[in-house]
Amino acid sequence: MESTGFTLQTRLDNGLGRTGIIHTPHGDIETPAFIPVGTKATVKAVLPESVASIGAQAVLANAYHLYLQPGSDIVDGAGGLSTFMNWPGPTYTDSGGFQVLSLGSGFKKVLSEEFSGKGKSDLDVAPSKERLANVDDDGVSFRSHLDGSMHRFTPEVSMKIQHELGADIMFAFDELTTLLNSRGYQEEALERTRLWAERCLVAHRELTEARSNKPYQQLFGVIQGAQYEDLRRKAARDLGAMEVNGQRFDGFGIGGALEKENLGTIVGWVSEELPEDRARHLLGISEPDDFFAAVEAGADTFDCVNPSRVARNAAIYSPDGRFNVTRQQFKRDFGPLVPGCACYTCTHYSRAYLHHAFKAKEMISSTLATIHNEYYTVQLVASIRRAMQDGTYAEFKAETLGRFYAGEWGRVDSTN
C-alpha cells in the first residue's frame, strides 16, 4: 500500500531544509506549514470558517480526548473527523500516547527542562499527584482524567480509534519519555516504541483492507530518543526502513521532550537518517525561532496549542514580540491589535475593544485573540515557505527574528 504521497520541491543550500507538498484525500498541504490544533474536534473559541480564513491548510485533533468524549465510533458514524467538525480540509490525529503518559504522570503538557532534575525515578510523578498511567510491553493502562474510569491503549487500539476518527494523517502509538528519564529507560522505551511501530503497521494494513470503502489514511511513525544522538538516529533508521507485509510508514513524526536550544540539532540528526520521499512532522512547537531552526533541519509541518492557549490569556503575537492586551496602556488605544495585519480581528476591532472584552470576561475576547494568533503563526510559516522558494530565506530570517526579539515588545511573558 503506497502513501497518498509527498512531493519534494525546493531545498535550502544546507541540503536539509526543503519545501514540498503532502497529498491527501481532502486536499494538498504545501510545506513547510503550521497545523492549528483542534484538540476535541474544534480549534477552541473559533469557527472552522475562521480557521480557513487565516490560511490554515489542515487541523490536528487528539485521539485520546476524542476517544473519551464523544467516542471514536460516534465520529466514525458522522462520516469521519472532517465531516463531524465541518472542516473540509485535511486532518491529522495524534496517537493519544502523549496525553496518556503526560496526564497519567500529572505533568500535563510540561515535559521538558522543568522536570529534568537528576536522581528522580523513571516512574516519578508530579508532586501531590497519583500516577494514572502504567506502561508494560503490550500497552498502557490508564485512568480517564474526566471520571477516573480505567482504559487501556495498545498499538492496535490506537489504530482502531484513529481509523474510526478518519483523519488523513495519523500517528503510530509510541511511549512518551521526558528529560528526567534515565538513559537506560530511554533505551527500553525506544525498543518498546519500535515494536509497537511494527504492530501499528500490521493493524493499519488490516484496518485499511477492512475499511476499503474509506479514503486511505497515511500513517506516520514517531521518532523518539530524547536528547541522545545515537538513539534518535537509530530510531530514524529503524522506522525509516521498517516494512511489514508490504506496509511502510507514509511519513514520520518527531516527538518527545527536548531542550529548546537543541531543537534544530535533534531534528537535523533525524532528518539525515530518514528517507527524503516522505514528510516529517515536528510535534508541539510554535515560537518563531523554533520554526526557523526546525525548517532548516528538515521538518515539514508543525503543530502546537500555544497560539490559541495564550490567546485565551490575552497574549497577542506581533512582528515586534508578544504583548498582553489587558495592559492599562491599551484601554483607550483605538488602533488594531497589530498595525498592517490583515486578519479579521485586526481589520475589524481595536486594542481598546479587546482590552474591554477581556476585562469584562466576554467570550468574544478569546475568539478574536485566537483568530489573530493563529493567523500570525500560520502566515509566518507560509512566509518562510515563500522565502525558501524565492531565495530570500536568509534575509527573511534575519529580519523576522531580529524584529521579533528586539522589537517594541521583545519576548514578554503572557502575564505581563
Side-chain angles (χ1 to χ4, degrees), residues 126-281:
S128 76
K129 298 291 185 180
E130 174 189 0
R131 173 165 286 279
L132 303 180
N134 292 283
V135 184
D136 56 58
D137 287 342
D138 183 60
V140 183
S141 297
F142 63 96
R143 289 188 182 276
S144 165
H145 72 289
L146 296 177
D147 61 10
S149 58
M150 286 299 301
H151 301 267
R152 184 165 177 79
F153 273 14
T154 65
E156 293 78 14
V157 169
S158 178
M159 288 296 93
K160 180 177 184 295
I161 291 168
Q162 291 189 81
H163 269 266
E164 289 181 341
L165 294 175
D168 296 286
I169 296 171
M170 55 187 176
F171 291 87
F173 191 60
D174 61 307
E175 181 181 355
L176 170 73
T177 60
T178 77
L179 295 180
L180 66 83
N181 292 119
S182 66
R183 164 74 190 219
Y185 192 85
Q186 299 285 1
E187 293 175 353
E188 178 185 329
L190 199 69
E191 176 61 10
R192 187 151 42 228
T193 291
R194 186 187 69 82
L195 295 173
W196 287 358
E198 292 180 342
R199 290 165 57 185
C200 284
L201 285 174
V202 172
H204 177 49
R205 184 180 182 92
E206 292 173 352
L207 287 162
T208 299
E209 292 174 346
R211 296 165 59 90
S212 59
N213 61 319
K214 304 285 187 179
Y216 180 72
Q217 297 172 257
Q218 296 187 43
L219 175 60
F220 282 24
V222 179
I223 311 298
Q224 294 283 3
Q227 71 270 37
Y228 299 103
E229 179 176 3
D230 59 328
L231 298 187
R232 287 283 185 176
R233 289 186 181 275
K234 179 182 186 301
R237 288 194 299 270
D238 287 346
L239 270 64
M242 188 175 286
E243 185 171 325
V244 182
N245 297 330
Q247 181 72 59
R248 65 176 191 171
F249 288 114
D250 303 297
F252 304 93
I254 304 171
L258 46 83
E259 293 169 324
K260 181 182 177 71
E261 60 268 25
N262 295 328
L263 183 150
T265 300
I266 292 172
V267 175
W269 295 338
V270 171
S271 296
E272 287 172 356
E273 303 292 344
L274 288 174
E276 293 187 338
D277 63 346
R278 286 173 269 175
R280 306 160 189 159
H281 181 85

Side-chain angles (χ1 to χ4, degrees), residues 42-98:
T42 171
V43 178
K44 290 186 187 301
V46 298
L47 292 170
E49 291 83 357
S50 297
V51 178
S53 73
I54 68 174
Q57 301 179 74
V59 296
L60 181 145
N62 185 274
Y64 167 89
H65 288 287
L66 292 177
Y67 159 76
L68 291 177
Q69 187 181 58
S72 56
D73 59 321
I74 291 177
V75 178
D76 192 23
L81 183 61
S82 288
T83 303
F84 185 59
M85 66 181 291
N86 191 34
W87 169 256
T91 53
Y92 291 61
T93 49
D94 60 18
S95 70
F98 182 98

Side-chain angles (χ1 to χ4, degrees), residues 12-28:
L12 288 180
D13 291 340
N14 69 359
L16 289 178
R18 68 213 194 143
T19 68
I21 302 174
I22 301 171
H23 308 285
T24 83
H26 288 92
D28 289 347

